[in-house]
Amino acid sequence: TTTISAGGAQVSALRFSVNRNGSTFSISDATNELVNRYYVASVDNDVVITETNVDPIAQYKLTMNGTELVAGEDYTVSSAGGNGEWYINTYTIKTQMFANDGEYNVVVNSIDNAETESYSDIKGARVAFVVDSSAPTITVSGMQAEGRYQTDKQTVTVVPADDGGSLYSVKIEVTDANGNALVPFELAGEELEAYLGTNNGQVTFTINEGIRQSVRVICVDKAGNTFDSEQTYNDITVSSNKAVLVWETYGTYFILGGVGVVAAAIIIIILAKKKK
């Protein structure tokens, strides 16, 4: 109650607040971008959650993945408001709290002077994301560097995986000896998820007949990490003609052997002439 003077008379004024819904929550632009991306390679900015309430915030705690954080160590709090202004708490969680790969879920739980309890994730400020700093991996069958395959088409199976997060795209390029590239497989997003879901997580493609071909597999996960097999699967020959395979495998030795025979013959001739 406050006593004020009005025209010389003393008038009592009662100041009060109506608090039906407790606190409201918002997040910073950088945190909003983090949440919208969901999969990230790293957290480069502090996570900031702001709580606003018509009444003072009597109690609060922050949890990450269900574990309570320590104020002053894991996060800081700045308070503002009062004297007719709304009460505001700003919670700042330090970037080093998200240094390890994994899923993170941060929640602010508070109780105000009206004894109204609030949770930030329920009040429209859900802070959840995955940190994934590792590139995808692949397992390959039916293909190896310098492979020789006696067939008109060689079937190859690739199993892409991303243990820390989720795959976004897979692209396969086959380049012939003249540098001409063919893309037998390329999918991304929901189309890739649907394909892998109906094919036991495997990608199957074929390498057509040709000599000295190279195959490049490029996988990108949703955090932007990239696996690139460039320079790994080179000098691959596919042919139904066995002679072609033999030549591609041993041709160099034939040439070197032939050169050696010629060189030896020349040396013998020269030595024979010297003797004469």
Side-chain angles (χ1 to χ4, degrees):
T1 302
T2 303
T3 302
I4 60 176
S5 176
Q10 296 295 317
V11 179
S12 294
L14 181 64
R15 175 178 292 178
F16 63 94
S17 63
V18 177
N19 190 346
R20 295 187 179 91
N21 300 312
S23 295
T24 61
F25 294 88
S26 62
I27 57 179
S28 66
D29 290 342
T31 304
N32 187 58
E33 181 180 353
L34 186 69
V35 171
N36 286 338
R37 289 181 59 188
Y38 192 70
Y39 290 98
V40 296
S42 62
V43 177
D44 301 321
N45 297 284
D46 294 339
V47 170
V48 180
I49 303 173
T50 300
E51 178 179 12
T52 304
N53 198 306
V54 67
D55 287 320
I57 300 160
Q59 302 175 42
Y60 60 82
K61 69 176 181 179
L62 271 66
T63 59
M64 185 168 70
N65 299 341
T67 300
E68 186 172 353
L69 301 180
V70 179
E73 293 183 14
D74 303 329
Y75 69 97
T76 59
V77 183
S78 62
S79 300
N83 297 320
E85 301 292 333
W86 289 63
Y87 294 87
I88 298 173
N89 271 11
T90 301
Y91 309 96
T92 302
I93 302 100
K94 302 172 183 178
T95 56
Q96 55 261 39
M97 296 298 298
F98 312 103
N100 297 325
D101 283 11
E103 185 174 4
Y104 293 92
N105 190 350
V106 179
V107 178
V108 178
N109 170 215
S110 68
I111 300 175
D112 59 29
N113 275 4
E115 298 185 353
T116 303
E117 188 170 12
S118 301
Y119 293 87
S120 59
D121 55 339
I122 297 175
K123 290 293 191 73
R126 184 172 183 268
V127 177
F129 53 89
V130 173
V131 177
D132 173 21
S133 62
S134 301
T137 59
I138 62 170
T139 303
V140 179
S141 62
M143 173 182 71
Q144 63 181 13
E146 300 180 0
R148 302 292 182 262
Y149 306 101
Q150 188 175 357
T151 179
D152 58 345
K153 287 185 178 181
Q154 176 66 12
T155 300
V156 181
T157 300
V158 175
V159 181
D162 188 42
D163 294 337
S166 180
L167 286 169
Y168 174 71
S169 66
V170 175
K171 180 179 181 180
I172 297 172
E173 295 179 348
V174 180
T175 304
D176 64 21
N178 297 318
N180 300 312
L182 175 69
V183 181
F185 185 90
E186 183 175 15
L187 286 178
E190 293 181 356
E191 291 183 339
L192 176 63
E193 291 181 9
Y195 177 92
L196 294 175
T198 56
N199 290 276
N200 297 318
Q202 301 178 346
V203 173
T204 303
F205 68 98
T206 57
I207 307 174
N208 296 327
E209 280 195 292
I211 62 172
R212 296 187 294 279
Q213 300 180 86
S214 62
V215 178
R216 183 178 181 183
V217 181
I218 305 168
C219 300
V220 182
D221 65 24
K222 291 182 179 179
N225 304 300
T226 301
F227 167 85
D228 191 339
S229 71
E230 188 176 17
Q231 305 303 320
T232 300
Y233 301 102
N234 292 335
D235 192 20
I236 297 171
T237 295
V238 177
S239 178
S240 55
N241 188 330
K242 189 173 183 178
V244 172
L245 300 179
V246 172
W247 175 256
E248 287 301 316
T249 304
Y250 302 107
T252 300
Y253 300 105
F254 293 156
I255 293 172
L256 292 175
V259 170
V261 170
V262 172
I266 293 172
I267 291 171
I268 292 170
I269 292 170
I270 292 172
L271 291 176
K273 286 182 177 181
K274 284 185 177 181
K275 285 183 178 180
K276 289 181 180 180

